[in-house]
């Protein structure tokens, strides 16, 4: 069936360093790849997304890259700050446009 | 209020109880969703409503019964639940169910089944 694998499950980085989270998807028909951030006590919130006709997209300190051939996409956060600490979820569009979600990455920013 | 609200925020219920979760969106969206979130697992889509009509039911047990009286309100009726149903239940809304529309999530209801 359709699935999205996300790694690592936990990532600890020093404040100011970069963080990279990677996802692999199985459905070659997927065209839309969003990333959501979930802070403690809140629901997930969209932070950036990318479509299959684009290889890279940036928004200030965050960027997403997509390799459709390899069915990989990644989230890059530069100059990490304490407020970046959260759980991050990747997702890929599946059949009936439903999102197939990764299991999440807990990002810890060490002061 | 703005965004997506959910009540109650926490719920403890016995296996023989009947309870309901409520979700309300103030965004003028046409689609609403129920998700189950368990620790270290992907979000599980349970139900999707578009223009008050249920469009998806992802093999959810009948002890979960959704209701969507209008595009702004969504309920999840619970009865005779099992301990493994304990989880965070998230409601979300979007302008449409088509690909690429951002989903806006509520804060969730933390459900514990004893």
């Amino acid at each position: 069936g359709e699935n999205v694998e996300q790694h690592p499950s936990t990532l600890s980085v020093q404040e100011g360093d970069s963080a990279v989270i990677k996802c692999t998807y199985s459905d070659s028909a997927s065209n839309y790849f969003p990333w959501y951030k979930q802070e403690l006590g809140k629901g997930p919130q969209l932070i950036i997304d990318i479509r299959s006709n684009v290889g890279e997209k940036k928004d200030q300190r965050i960027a997403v890259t997509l390799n459709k051939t390899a069915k990989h996409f990644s989230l890059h956060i530069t100059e990490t700050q304490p407020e970046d600490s959260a759980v991050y979820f990747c997702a890929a569009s599946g059949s009936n446009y439903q999102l197939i979600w990764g299991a999440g990455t807990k990002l810890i920013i060490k002061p | 209020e703005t965004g997506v609200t959910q009540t109650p925020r926490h719920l403890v219920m016995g296996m023989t109880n009947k309870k309901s979760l409520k979700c309300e969106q103030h965004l003028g969206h046409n689609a609403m969703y129920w998700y189950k979130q368990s620790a270290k697992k992907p979000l599980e889509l349970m139900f999707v409503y578009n223009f008050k009509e249920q469009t998806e039911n992802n093999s959810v047990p009948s002890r979960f019964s959704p209701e969507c009286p209008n595009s702004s309100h969504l309920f999840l009726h619970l009865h005779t639940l099992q301990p493994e149903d304990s989880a965070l239940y998230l409601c979300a809304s979007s302008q449409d169910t088509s690909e690429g529309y951002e989903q806006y999530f509520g804060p969730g209801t933390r459900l514990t089944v004893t």
Side-chain angles (χ1 to χ4, degrees):
Chain A
E2 303 165 320
N3 74 296
V4 173
E5 293 192 6
Q6 182 171 349
H7 299 281
S9 57
T10 304
L11 178 60
S12 183
V13 301
Q14 205 70 38
E15 183 179 347
D17 288 350
S18 296
V20 181
I21 303 170
K22 299 181 179 182
C23 290
T24 303
Y25 60 98
S26 61
D27 187 354
S28 56
S30 294
N31 286 316
Y32 174 66
F33 307 90
W35 286 88
Y36 281 76
K37 174 184 180 182
Q38 185 174 26
E39 297 177 337
L40 202 60
K42 297 183 179 180
Q45 183 177 10
L46 179 71
I47 55 171
I48 195 168
D49 57 14
I50 192 168
R51 297 177 189 273
S52 59
N53 58 344
V54 175
E56 183 176 4
K57 183 176 178 181
K58 289 183 179 180
D59 183 4
Q60 299 183 351
R61 295 187 297 109
I62 60 173
V64 57
T65 58
L66 172 64
N67 182 330
K68 279 221 72 172
T69 303
K71 291 191 278 188
H72 290 168
F73 58 113
S74 300
L75 177 71
H76 305 253
I77 306 175
T78 59
E79 301 173 10
T80 52
Q81 300 171 6
E83 55 264 35
D84 295 329
S85 293
V87 179
Y88 291 81
F89 291 93
C90 64
S93 59
S95 57
N96 296 329
Y97 302 132
Q98 290 182 26
L99 290 178
I100 312 301
W101 296 80
T105 295
K106 183 176 182 179
L107 177 61
I108 300 167
I109 307 301
K110 297 181 290 186
Chain B
E1 287 197 66
T2 59
V4 180
T5 58
Q6 291 186 242
T7 55
R9 293 294 307 274
H10 300 271
L11 178 63
V12 179
M13 60 185 290
M15 290 190 285
T16 58
N17 290 160
K18 287 185 179 181
K19 296 287 184 182
S20 296
L21 310 185
K22 178 182 175 181
C23 175
E24 185 173 0
Q25 59 97 358
H26 308 268
L27 300 167
H29 289 164
N30 298 311
M32 296 188 78
Y33 311 76
W34 279 117
Y35 284 93
K36 177 183 179 182
Q37 184 175 29
S38 303
K40 299 186 179 181
K41 293 177 68 175
L43 272 68
E44 299 175 47
L45 180 64
M46 301 175 71
F47 302 104
V48 182
Y49 278 83
N50 199 21
F51 291 96
K52 302 187 300 179
E53 299 296 321
Q54 186 179 128
T55 58
E56 296 292 337
N57 175 343
N58 283 358
S59 303
V60 180
S62 59
R63 58 186 184 268
F64 295 92
S65 175
E67 179 189 0
C68 188
N70 54 62
S71 294
S72 299
H73 293 85
L74 186 63
F75 295 89
L76 188 61
H77 304 299
L78 316 171
H79 63 98
T80 59
L81 294 191
Q82 305 298 310
E84 59 265 29
D85 297 323
S86 297
L88 182 69
Y89 288 84
L90 291 165
C91 173
S93 71
S94 65
Q95 185 61 46
D96 192 83
T97 54
S98 300
E99 185 178 88
Y101 282 92
E102 178 178 355
Q103 294 185 20
Y104 293 78
F105 286 83
T109 294
R110 173 69 62 186
L111 173 67
T112 303
V113 181
T114 60

